[in-house]
Amino acid sequence: MATSTAVQDRSNSTLKGYIALTKPRIISLLVFTALGGMFLGARGVPDPLLVILVLGGGALAAGGANALNHYLDRDIDGLMGRTSGRPIVNGSIPPQHAMWFGIALNVVAFIILGAFVNILSALLTLSATLFYVFVYTKALKRSTPQNIVIGGAAGAIPPMVGWVAVTGALGLPALYMFAIVFFWTPPHFWALSLMIKDDYRRAGIPMLPVVAGVKNTKLYILLYTILLLALTLMFFTTRAVGWVYFGGSLALGIGFIYYALSLMKRDGIEGAKAAYLYSLAYLALLFLVIMVDSVARI
């Protein structure tokens, strides 16, 4: 009985480890932006089967990319408190298993999207993984404080995939959604990096707070939130979105600027957590507004 219990415990630990490799919380936000792209492309509620295929394929690809990120960052993850409990670091998943797991998920995702959606959506999804793994994780993360600025392109691709899955081609609205997520990523991630700047310093990662200091990072967060508000309002001029979107994006953008200003006015990193949490809510709510606007304009 004791042996059976031990085997079951190990199996549960391994299963939890593989799930942790995929970073489920990050996946949920990525696929939600893809869903927003689908609603906008469909000008209303998209086909349910297509939604399942796109979100399922996207989740597999994102999970695979995250697993590969775990594999490549295993040497520094043990140096940072936030990542010291990750599956490869704690020994629950062997590094090579994580690597092949990540590759396999992306192969399956490509097959699903290419065979049942369209080849462009499959190629875009694969490009997001390749960019995240090779450009951000391998080339930029350890070499430049602009890592997350450029690397944010990987996380900006899902809404384009959603649009392409419905329409079959890229278009200006897809590029705007890409740009919105692209410019949202730096202030979102810099707020997080303010909270764990000592971790990054210890691991030798040149995140902006480590290289430029806390004060400059807070200034950049504010500037990007202002730019983000301008960009989201410009989207309205394309007439791909309507007044529901305009009002929602305006309110959410002003809220983001408020949190950035509050962060600027406080000492040290006080207010960074609030700004970070708001940034998560901001993106989810903005794409929810896109969906509501798409349905309202039917």
Side-chain angles (χ1 to χ4, degrees):
M1 180 66 72
T3 302
S4 176
T5 301
V7 171
Q8 185 176 359
D9 288 343
R10 280 198 299 272
S11 297
N12 290 339
S13 176
T14 300
L15 177 61
K16 289 178 181 178
Y18 278 107
I19 293 173
L21 283 176
T22 66
K23 304 181 184 178
R25 286 183 295 180
I26 294 177
I27 289 178
S28 63
L29 188 56
L30 292 175
V31 298
F32 194 72
T33 64
L35 183 61
M38 295 187 76
F39 268 77
L40 189 61
R43 295 181 178 273
V45 181
D47 177 71
L49 178 58
L50 187 62
V51 169
I52 293 171
L53 290 169
V54 172
L55 300 193
L60 289 172
N66 289 331
L68 292 170
N69 173 262
H70 277 255
Y71 170 75
L72 293 171
D73 277 352
R74 64 191 185 280
D75 59 326
I76 59 174
D77 280 347
L79 302 175
M80 304 197 298
R82 185 174 69 96
T83 56
S84 60
R86 284 181 170 177
I88 296 178
V89 179
N90 66 26
S92 61
I93 303 293
Q96 293 297 321
H97 290 191
M99 181 190 72
W100 287 112
F101 177 63
I103 293 172
L105 289 182
N106 273 277
V107 169
V108 173
F110 188 87
I111 292 172
I112 290 173
L113 294 172
F116 301 107
V117 182
N118 57 52
I119 193 63
L120 183 53
S121 66
L123 290 172
L124 280 171
T125 301
L126 179 60
S127 73
T129 293
L130 294 176
F131 197 93
Y132 180 62
V133 172
F134 292 104
V135 178
Y136 172 67
T137 304
K138 286 282 287 181
L140 299 175
K141 185 173 182 178
R142 309 186 192 204
S143 63
T144 171
Q146 295 302 309
N147 46 24
I148 200 62
V149 176
I150 304 168
I157 290 177
M160 296 176 69
V161 173
W163 171 275
V164 165
V166 173
T167 66
L170 286 171
L172 186 60
L175 297 178
Y176 260 101
M177 288 186 289
F178 172 90
I180 287 169
V181 180
F182 182 81
F183 283 98
W184 163 86
T185 303
H188 159 72
F189 208 89
W190 285 334
L192 172 64
S193 65
L194 281 172
M195 295 187 286
I196 56 174
K197 65 184 187 307
D198 293 336
D199 269 0
Y200 284 125
R201 181 178 291 109
R202 188 161 46 250
I205 305 300
M207 286 297 178
L208 194 63
V210 175
V211 175
V214 171
K215 185 176 181 180
N216 285 330
T217 300
K218 292 194 288 187
L219 175 59
Y220 278 114
I221 289 173
L222 176 60
L223 292 176
Y224 264 82
T225 56
I226 294 171
L227 180 60
L228 183 60
L229 174 60
L231 178 63
T232 56
L233 296 182
M234 283 174 59
F235 191 15
F236 175 73
T237 66
T238 67
R239 298 188 178 181
V241 288
W243 286 103
V244 172
Y245 166 84
F246 181 84
S249 62
L250 178 62
L252 289 168
I254 291 173
F256 208 164
I257 292 173
Y258 166 79
Y259 278 95
L261 281 170
S262 296
L263 178 60
M264 278 282 296
K265 293 176 180 178
R266 297 183 179 184
D267 295 330
I269 64 170
E270 187 181 353
K273 184 176 182 179
Y276 170 70
L277 292 176
Y278 181 82
S279 71
L280 289 171
Y282 169 88
L283 192 66
L285 290 173
L286 182 67
F287 275 83
L288 178 60
V289 166
I290 288 174
M291 291 182 228
V292 172
D293 182 84
S294 299
V295 173
R297 300 181 76 205
I298 294 176

